[in-house]
Amino acid sequence: FDVKTFKIPGQHYLDGVLLGGYSPRESIEMVKTFDMFEDDCVVSAYPKSGQTWTLELLYLILHYDNYSENEETDSLLRTPWLELGKIDNARIRELGEVPRPRVFKTHVAAHQLPEQMREKHSKMIHVLRNPKDVAVSYYHFYRMDASLGRFPGTWSQFYEMFMAGNVSHGSWFDHVLQFWREYKDNKDVLFLHYEDMVKDHAGAVRKIANFLGKSLNENVAEEIVRRTSFGSMKQNPATNFSKYEGFDYSVSHFYRKGKVGDWKNYFTVQQNDEFDEVYRAKMADSGLNVDFGE
Ligand code: A3P
């Protein structure tokens, strides 16, 4: 197949960006008009950047006191994905009734965020991860997830699709740079790097708590680190998507490796050289640096 035009059934374009059928055009357009509160926090990310981990960290930091009552509630209910599925009045009501402070997940592009976020000064955390590891993680996710068509191709074919921006949510460069350019100096927005979180998990908890103006005593902070380790989240039925039937675990796992630098096991020398050249050209004047784990 042609990697530049290959499409999974249900995928569609909005504003020139390829999107999965799980996020219909109407839903993404409606996100813009959502009612937001000043204590909301949106976690935005390009896919496979450590967003599930960040959502769980935020949920625990903000709702630790009554966490035990909701321990078994699925993470998609505790921290809903704004543009997932068809949005009707019932869904809007449901989102409105999420206990405050609300934490939301989104993959929409920067210009598709709820418009009220700016005037209400709602908070946003944008998680980003080095795009070589994102590509490898996304490849495995494309292979295992039914909503992404259980991609039957090879790593090299997926690499070409990723470089062409012909994957759900389009080009990593466009998605991330749009957020970075628009929000890097905005004090309501925190950019978190997956690699920093892996290097200093406890530091990430403190950084997020600080940003949200939440003080945590040391025992609570330690407990949050324990509950959000790769192993704990993989075991936890509320965070491991074990009720979702779309994943083929004979192919890969949602909690696959959780490491920095796995790309070295996939990228050929030629792919790496080509990638570095594209990376330099696209990122040159951005002032944004990512850690490839070299
Ligand atoms: P890998 O496929 O490289 O293992 P997202 O939640 O944005 O889809 O990102 C998924 C990636 O985050 C996966 O990467 C997954 O293993 C990793 N991840 C999820 N929870 C994690 C945790 N608690 N610690 C470290 N990595 C985690």
Side-chain angles (χ1 to χ4, degrees):
F1 56 84
D2 181 353
V3 293
K4 297 217 162 64
T5 53
F6 175 77
K7 253 171 100 178
I8 290 159
Q11 273 184 330
H12 59 104
Y13 286 93
L14 181 61
D15 302 338
V17 172
L18 191 66
L19 295 169
Y22 49 83
S23 291
R25 159 193 280 269
E26 299 75 31
S27 299
I28 294 195
E29 281 166 351
M30 277 178 87
V31 165
K32 270 195 187 168
T33 66
F34 277 176
D35 286 334
M36 299 297 284
F37 297 122
E38 53 289 349
D39 58 354
D40 286 336
C41 189
V42 171
V43 177
S44 63
Y46 186 84
K48 312 323 289 173
S49 302
Q51 190 177 29
T52 311
W53 185 17
T54 309
L55 285 161
E56 188 65 3
L57 282 168
L58 259 84
Y59 186 78
L60 279 167
I61 289 168
L62 290 169
H63 295 276
Y64 190 82
D65 294 342
N66 48 14
Y67 182 71
S68 53
E69 295 157 35
N70 298 312
E71 200 161 355
E72 281 158 30
T73 308
D74 197 273
S75 62
L76 274 169
L77 294 170
R78 293 194 311 228
T79 57
W81 182 355
L82 287 178
E83 71 278 14
L84 180 64
K86 190 173 164 338
I87 299 176
D88 51 15
N89 288 337
R91 175 67 175 159
I92 291 179
R93 233 182 355 261
E94 203 175 277
L95 294 173
E97 285 164 4
V98 170
R100 290 169 68 177
R102 302 183 300 179
V103 178
F104 291 128
K105 158 179 172 164
T106 192
H107 284 311
V108 299
H111 69 280
Q112 294 161 339
L113 288 166
E115 279 165 358
Q116 283 191 5
M117 284 176 67
R118 281 192 191 263
E119 59 184 89
K120 296 279 173 76
H121 293 282
S122 315
K123 298 264 190 283
M124 175 161 72
I125 292 187
H126 186 84
V127 205
L128 63 126
R129 183 181 192 185
N130 84 69
K132 293 181 188 173
D133 279 333
V134 166
V136 169
S137 181
Y138 212 1
Y139 167 58
H140 289 290
F141 197 56
Y142 248 71
R143 293 167 64 232
M144 71 179 284
D145 185 13
S147 72
L148 291 168
R150 299 221 174 115
F151 181 63
T154 62
W155 155 251
S156 286
Q157 287 169 320
F158 186 82
Y159 166 84
E160 297 291 338
M161 281 161 58
F162 187 83
M163 294 309 273
N166 187 34
V167 291
S168 283
H169 304 285
S171 151
W172 178 90
F173 296 97
D174 294 347
H175 187 97
V176 168
L177 283 175
Q178 203 195 344
F179 275 94
W180 177 248
R181 295 207 164 107
E182 212 165 314
Y183 289 103
K184 65 178 189 308
D185 299 318
N186 186 320
K187 62 174 179 26
D188 297 322
V189 180
L190 175 69
F191 285 85
L192 275 184
H193 291 256
Y194 178 84
E195 293 75 16
D196 292 344
M197 293 165 67
V198 170
K199 230 182 267 166
D200 185 6
H201 191 164
V205 172
R206 284 194 300 273
K207 200 169 182 178
I208 296 169
N210 247 348
F211 172 67
L212 299 172
K214 187 94 185 167
S215 62
L216 297 176
N217 76 44
E218 210 149 297
N219 292 340
V220 170
E222 274 171 25
E223 180 63 9
I224 292 175
V225 169
R226 202 186 58 73
R227 282 178 188 259
T228 53
S229 71
F230 180 83
S232 307
M233 288 186 65
K234 186 171 184 151
Q235 294 299 316
N236 182 351
T239 53
N240 68 10
F241 307 106
S242 50
K243 288 178 217 97
Y244 174 59
E245 285 168 4
F247 293 159
D248 182 352
Y249 289 109
S250 71
V251 171
S252 189
H253 288 269
F254 184 88
Y255 294 90
R256 194 184 58 92
K257 285 198 177 168
K259 295 252 152 53
V260 178
D262 190 38
W263 61 267
K264 291 170 202 162
N265 299 315
Y266 290 84
F267 277 65
T268 64
V269 171
Q270 196 190 340
Q271 286 167 348
N272 196 42
D273 289 347
E274 180 198 58
F275 192 101
D276 286 345
E277 203 172 304
V278 171
Y279 183 88
R280 269 193 299 271
K282 298 241 189 204
M283 306 293 280
D285 331 308
S286 68
L288 176 63
N289 292 307
V290 304
D291 175 3
F292 288 100
E294 280 144 325

